[in-house]
């Protein structure tokens, strides 16, 4: 069965280019040329991947990202951003995007990123199906790997999938310095084409959410290397 991809892009030439090349690669492609229309389709139908432009009429890509994630849709999303628009990339990742492509881009890069994101998603689904139900408790912090759920002091903390995977990897290695490359390879995969900025953005967002409780773990930056999970002083390592 072919993967279903939703393309939300208002520029006709680019939309046709995306649709044609994805179809030629064997994907089943749906195109929406308006923000509100794209959001409605994304919420009503199942897709394996969404390719989303940031600049759209009616509703921009950031608004669509936010609403899609708020409605519990976990479909991986690749955003299309302008060249040298780092702020768009950062905001897109913060709003729940899984990857990005800067315009202009080549067909080979597009297809490589689409294939990589779909492959990672498949592998994550397989791992989730094989996980035995358990909970990792650290002070007021409770992590449920099989549910991708984190609870602090009885309150559920809304984490994006990649934020959860970063936290889980660090919690399982308390006190160890984990390089950005390690996190990139484990969480995003060896074939991920994006840069280390993606890791920093997710860690920064994760830190803010963990600050809800003083008994929660903390993520310490190791300049020029990566990150280390710091346990509350009165707590030991997780079991």
């Amino acid at each position: 069965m072919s993967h279903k991809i939703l393309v939300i892009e208002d520029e006709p030439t680019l939309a046709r280019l995306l649709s044609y090349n994805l179809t030629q690669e064997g994907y089943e492609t749906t195109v929406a040329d308006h923000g509100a229309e794209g959001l409605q389709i994304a919420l009503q139908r199942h897709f394996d991947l969404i390719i989303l432009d940031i600049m759209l009429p009616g509703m921009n890509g950031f608004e669509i990202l936010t609403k899609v994630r708020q409605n519990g849709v976990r479909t991986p999303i690749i955003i299309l951003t302008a060249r040298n628009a780092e702020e768009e990339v950062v905001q897109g990742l913060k709003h729940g995007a899984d990857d990005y492509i800067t315009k202009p881009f080549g067909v080979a890069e597009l297809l490589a990123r689409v294939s990589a994101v779909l492959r990672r998603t498949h592998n994550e689904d397989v791992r989730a199906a094989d996980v035995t139900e358990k909970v990792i408790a650290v002070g007021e912090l409770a992590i449920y790997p099989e549910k991708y759920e984190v609870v602090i002091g009885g309150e559920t903390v809304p984490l994006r999938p990649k934020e959860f995977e970063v936290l889980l990897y660090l919690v399982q290695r308390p006190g160890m310095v984990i390089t950005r490359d390690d996190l990139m390879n484990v969480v995003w995969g060896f074939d991920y084409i994006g840069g280390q900025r993606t890791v920093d953005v997710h860690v920064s967002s994760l830190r803010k959410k963990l600050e809800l409780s003083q008994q929660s773990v903390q993520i310490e930056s190791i300049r020029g290397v990566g990150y280390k999970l710091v346990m509350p002083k009165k707590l030991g390592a997780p079991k």
Side-chain angles (χ1 to χ4, degrees), residues 32-64:
D33 61 2
H34 192 277
E37 176 194 10
L39 174 62
Q40 183 177 22
I41 294 174
L43 294 179
Q44 293 180 347
R45 295 167 54 185
H46 167 76
F47 292 94
D48 299 292
L49 176 68
I50 297 173
I51 298 177
L52 173 65
D53 192 15
I54 293 299
M55 302 303 295
L56 292 165
M59 178 180 295
N60 67 43
F62 298 134
E63 294 175 294
I64 293 174

Side-chain angles (χ1 to χ4, degrees), residues 29-121:
T29 308
T30 300
V31 177
D33 61 2
H34 192 277
E37 176 194 10
L39 174 62
Q40 183 177 22
I41 294 174
L43 294 179
Q44 293 180 347
R45 295 167 54 185
H46 167 76
F47 292 94
D48 299 292
L49 176 68
I50 297 173
I51 298 177
L52 173 65
D53 192 15
I54 293 299
M55 302 303 295
L56 292 165
M59 178 180 295
N60 67 43
F62 298 134
E63 294 175 294
I64 293 174
L65 272 168
T66 299
K67 291 183 180 297
V68 163
R69 296 310 188 212
Q70 286 177 344
N71 279 274
V73 177
R74 295 181 58 182
T75 303
I77 298 175
I78 298 176
I79 58 173
L80 304 179
T81 69
R83 183 178 294 278
N84 299 323
E86 182 181 5
E87 183 60 27
E88 284 189 357
V89 173
V90 172
Q91 288 300 315
L93 293 172
K94 285 183 176 179
H95 282 76
D98 296 86
D99 201 355
Y100 63 92
I101 303 177
T102 56
K103 303 177 187 176
F105 52 84
V107 173
E109 178 188 4
L110 165 70
L111 296 178
R113 287 184 180 272
V114 167
S115 177
V117 170
L118 289 173
R119 186 163 53 250
R120 289 199 305 272
T121 304

Side-chain angles (χ1 to χ4, degrees), residues 115-159:
S115 177
V117 170
L118 289 173
R119 186 163 53 250
R120 289 199 305 272
T121 304
H122 172 74
N123 291 339
E124 288 166 6
D125 290 342
V126 171
R127 289 198 302 269
D130 292 338
V131 172
T132 302
E133 184 173 356
K134 64 178 181 179
V135 58
I136 300 174
V138 185
E140 294 186 348
L141 181 69
I143 301 175
Y144 299 86
E146 75 284 359
K147 299 179 183 177
Y148 270 56
E149 183 176 298
V150 173
V151 177
I152 296 180
E155 297 290 331
T156 299
V157 181
L159 297 185

Side-chain angles (χ1 to χ4, degrees), residues 135-144 149-157 159 164 167-168 170-172 206 209-219 229-232 235 238-239:
V135 58
I136 300 174
V138 185
E140 294 186 348
L141 181 69
I143 301 175
Y144 299 86
E149 183 176 298
V150 173
V151 177
I152 296 180
E155 297 290 331
T156 299
V157 181
L159 297 185
F164 179 89
L167 176 61
L168 181 61
L170 292 174
V171 162
Q172 291 172 332
L206 180 58
K209 295 174 181 179
L210 293 178
E211 288 173 357
L212 294 172
S213 170
Q214 295 300 315
Q215 295 302 315
S216 174
V217 297
Q218 297 179 350
I219 301 174
L229 190 92
V230 179
M231 311 292 290
L235 299 174
K239 298 181 181 180

Side-chain angles (χ1 to χ4, degrees), residues 198-233:
T198 301
V199 176
D200 296 334
V201 169
H202 281 75
V203 170
S204 176
S205 176
L206 180 58
R207 273 185 177 138
K208 293 178 181 178
K209 295 174 181 179
L210 293 178
E211 288 173 357
L212 294 172
S213 170
Q214 295 300 315
Q215 295 302 315
S216 174
V217 297
Q218 297 179 350
I219 301 174
E220 179 180 313
S221 294
I222 308 300
R223 184 179 295 274
V225 180
Y227 300 97
K228 178 175 67 174
L229 190 92
V230 179
M231 311 292 290
K233 291 183 178 180

